[in-house]
Amino acid sequence: TQLSEDVSAQILAEHMDIHHLGGEADHDRALTTGSLRLGYQQWNFVASYTYIHNDASDPDEGAEGYILQISAGYLFENGIGIDVGYQRSDEENEVTKRLGALISYSKEF
């Protein structure tokens, strides 16, 4: 959605149910994700959060969890883009943190 000449926004919501995860009859998983992307001129800012709900007989597999991601980037006039991002997740009682960078090139023809 174009909010003004320079500002745009996109919202995403998704819910996914997986029954019998990995073929296990007593393990179901649901993931609910929400994200927001804001654009300002050549800049982009994105944040997303995924909530993980496990329903399993094994307590280790039945843990709740989440994935949080944020990123920002800039697209230069020559088609080169630079983005950096951070992710923190807590899945199956294991916390991980990641930092990443992306350099891209795009050209219309």
Side-chain angles (χ1 to χ4, degrees):
T1 303
Q2 201 66 34
L3 301 176
S4 73
E5 186 176 321
D6 293 333
V7 179
S8 64
Q10 293 175 315
I11 296 174
L12 169 80
E14 176 186 48
H15 180 78
M16 177 175 55
D17 275 320
I18 304 170
H19 297 277
H20 309 299
L21 181 69
E24 298 176 31
D26 62 344
H27 190 178
D28 297 336
R29 178 176 289 171
L31 294 99
T32 304
T33 301
S35 71
L36 173 65
R37 179 191 184 279
L38 295 173
Y40 174 71
Q41 296 177 352
Q42 300 297 101
W43 291 93
N44 72 76
F45 306 93
V46 182
S48 71
Y49 181 84
T50 300
Y51 172 71
I52 304 167
H53 173 76
N54 283 296
D55 186 14
S57 58
D58 183 349
D60 289 335
E61 293 179 351
E64 306 295 302
Y66 69 89
I67 303 169
L68 171 66
Q69 301 177 110
I70 56 172
S71 66
Y74 187 83
L75 180 62
F76 294 93
E77 295 291 329
N78 61 6
I80 294 176
I82 298 176
D83 293 87
V84 294
Y86 172 77
Q87 179 190 65
R88 179 185 168 97
S89 64
D90 182 354
E91 298 180 81
E92 298 177 4
N93 293 320
E94 184 176 324
V95 174
T96 58
K97 301 172 188 174
R98 296 184 178 140
L99 184 62
L102 170 70
I103 298 173
S104 61
Y105 177 74
S106 62
K107 180 169 178 68
E108 290 187 33
F109 56 91

